[in-house]
């Protein structure tokens, strides 16, 4: 009677129930959502959410994804914009371009993408803005010689 199972579940912080594309489902088109999104099927299109995107082990997205957080176990090909944390599991396969604040990659993940890491607030981090040491325009390179 008083167990935790009987308490009403709180809505996720984005204000809606999570959405799901099940395996053996193929969708072609664009998706806009305020809630989290899990893809276990195939999506050929774009996803824009103020929540989290999860690509399950058998899931695949070909397109552009804009979200706050992302967990990827399956495959992604396209443009990925994550404003906070991108977590790649060992079975993940990523191709294309990635823009992220924080990146976590498990051993075994395939990451064939150009990656731009941004600091808090979307500004590029100072490490990404610095030029390589071999660049004659780089002041650090001149002082290091």
């Amino acid at each position: 009677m008083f167990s935790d199972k009987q308490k009403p579940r709180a809505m996720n912080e984005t204000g809606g129930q999570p959405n799901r594309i099940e395996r053996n489902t193929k969708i072609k088109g664009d998706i806009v959502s305020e809630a989290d999104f899990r893809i276990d099927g195939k999506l050929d299109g774009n996803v824009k959410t103020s929540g989290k995107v999860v690509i399950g082990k058998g899931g695949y997205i070909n397109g552009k994804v804009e979200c706050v957080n992302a967990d990827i176990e399956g495959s992604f090909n396209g443009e990925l914009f994550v404003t906070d944390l991108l977590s790649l599991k060992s079975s993940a396969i990523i191709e294309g371009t990635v823009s992220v604040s924080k990146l976590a990659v498990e051993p075994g993940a395939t990451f064939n993408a150009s990656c731009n890491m941004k600091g808090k607030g979307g500004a590029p981090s100072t490490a990404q803005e610095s030029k390589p040491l071999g660049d004659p325009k780089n002041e650090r390179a001149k002082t290091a010689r």
Side-chain angles (χ1 to χ4, degrees):
M1 183 168 143
F2 294 105
S3 75
D4 288 337
K5 294 179 183 176
Q6 299 300 321
K7 290 182 182 177
R9 292 185 181 188
M11 298 288 251
N12 63 7
E13 59 188 54
T14 57
Q17 293 294 321
N19 298 292
R20 194 169 191 148
I21 297 173
E22 295 292 336
R23 64 185 177 113
N24 299 324
T25 301
K26 296 177 184 177
I27 294 181
K28 190 172 192 174
D30 298 339
I31 297 171
V32 178
S33 176
E34 294 292 320
D36 296 348
F37 224 97
R38 181 176 177 96
I39 291 103
D40 288 308
K42 310 276 188 256
L43 173 65
D44 188 7
N46 305 319
V47 177
K48 185 172 186 175
T49 180
S50 54
K52 180 179 191 176
V53 171
V54 176
I55 302 175
K57 203 167 195 173
Y60 174 75
I61 295 179
N62 180 31
K64 180 178 177 181
V65 172
E66 297 177 63
C67 60
V68 176
N69 293 302
D71 285 347
I72 301 178
E73 291 181 90
S75 301
F76 176 83
N77 187 354
E79 295 177 83
L80 183 57
F81 298 94
V82 181
T83 56
D84 195 22
L85 174 64
L86 170 60
S87 178
L88 303 179
K89 305 302 181 192
S90 61
S91 57
I93 300 172
I94 307 297
E95 295 183 351
T97 59
V98 175
S99 178
V100 65
S101 291
K102 294 181 263 184
L103 178 63
V105 182
E106 287 185 1
T110 302
F111 189 74
N112 292 324
S114 62
C115 184
N116 181 18
M117 294 195 74
K118 298 182 183 256
K120 293 275 184 192
S125 68
T126 56
Q128 289 295 322
E129 288 178 340
S130 65
K131 294 178 178 65
L133 287 176
D135 189 338
K137 295 179 185 174
N138 188 346
E139 294 301 316
R140 262 192 323 160
K142 291 178 185 174
T143 59
R145 290 184 190 158

